Amino acid sequence: MRVWWALLFVAVGLLFFSPKASPGTLQKADWIVVLGAAQYNGEPSAIFRNRLEAALHLYRQGYAPRIAVTGGRAPGDRYSEGGVGCSYLETRGVPPTALYCEQESRRTVENLTNIAPVVGKSQVIIVTDEPHLPRALILAEQLGLQATGFAVHGNFKESYRYRESLLALLARLGIR
């Protein structure tokens, strides 16, 4: 019973003391950073496509002049998530000079670690799924990134929401 109370206490603390991610609080930034998701034979998965479309919308609305897309290759893949994402955005009118394609990372912390030298102390908007965003913002804060977030909403499985809540809690505790 004590364990449940402890988990409840930590979860409430995480809820109130985690970075906030609300589209209504967005301000202009220097970069939009799209966190990678799966790609299949050179085409973004539905989840990745939704993230890319959200970033494209923010870019067209003038929230930032540059977009960084992150994500490497899964074993056996011919294409990286970052490369596929950049190609997707280029075909929709984003000039190559406005894109940075990070193609080595496989995990959220690697996405952000690898992009940190590129964006430096610039203000960034992290674009990812609503359940994933709190953890991404916690990690960004720990890495010294000046980040706000844009949550891509969708019909996500409860198991994904629970997993991300747990991983956000662990990230807040410094466990990556």
Side-chain angles (χ1 to χ4, degrees):
M1 188 68 165
R2 285 186 200 176
V3 171
W4 287 111
W5 280 110
L7 287 174
L8 179 63
F9 177 76
V10 172
V12 169
L14 180 64
L15 178 67
F16 287 106
F17 299 107
S18 288
K20 301 298 182 242
S22 169
T25 62
L26 277 184
Q27 295 183 0
K28 292 195 178 211
D30 302 298
W31 287 90
I32 297 164
V33 176
V34 183
L35 299 184
Q39 63 79 30
Y40 302 108
N41 200 29
E43 294 295 323
S45 66
I47 287 175
F48 194 22
R49 187 174 53 252
N50 289 342
R51 293 179 188 182
L52 293 165
E53 286 293 329
L56 183 60
H57 176 75
L58 293 173
Y59 175 80
R60 288 179 175 161
Q61 294 295 312
Y63 278 98
R66 295 172 286 190
I67 303 173
V69 185
T70 66
R73 289 180 177 85
D77 280 355
R78 290 179 40 202
Y79 304 97
S80 70
E81 295 164 4
V84 167
C86 282
S87 294
Y88 183 91
L89 293 170
E90 275 188 59
T91 63
R92 280 148 185 83
V94 179
T97 55
L99 293 169
Y100 180 81
C101 313
E102 185 281 322
Q103 301 184 67
E104 301 299 322
S105 58
R106 294 296 312 141
R107 300 171 41 233
T108 303
V109 69
E110 292 171 356
N111 294 155
L112 297 169
T113 299
N114 291 357
I115 209 69
V118 175
V119 301
K121 294 294 180 187
S122 300
Q123 187 66 37
V124 302
I125 300 169
I126 296 174
V127 176
T128 191
D129 308 328
E130 177 258 329
H132 184 225
L133 189 55
R135 177 166 64 104
L137 289 172
I138 290 166
L139 293 169
E141 178 185 306
Q142 291 171 348
L143 292 167
L145 295 172
Q146 307 301 310
T148 58
F150 185 85
V152 178
H153 297 282
N155 191 13
F156 303 109
K157 293 180 181 180
E158 284 302 309
S159 59
Y160 177 50
R161 292 181 184 280
Y162 292 137
R163 174 183 169 267
E164 284 301 324
S165 294
L166 176 61
L167 290 173
L169 172 61
L170 293 174
R172 178 54 75 197
L173 296 172
I175 302 168
R176 298 181 184 170

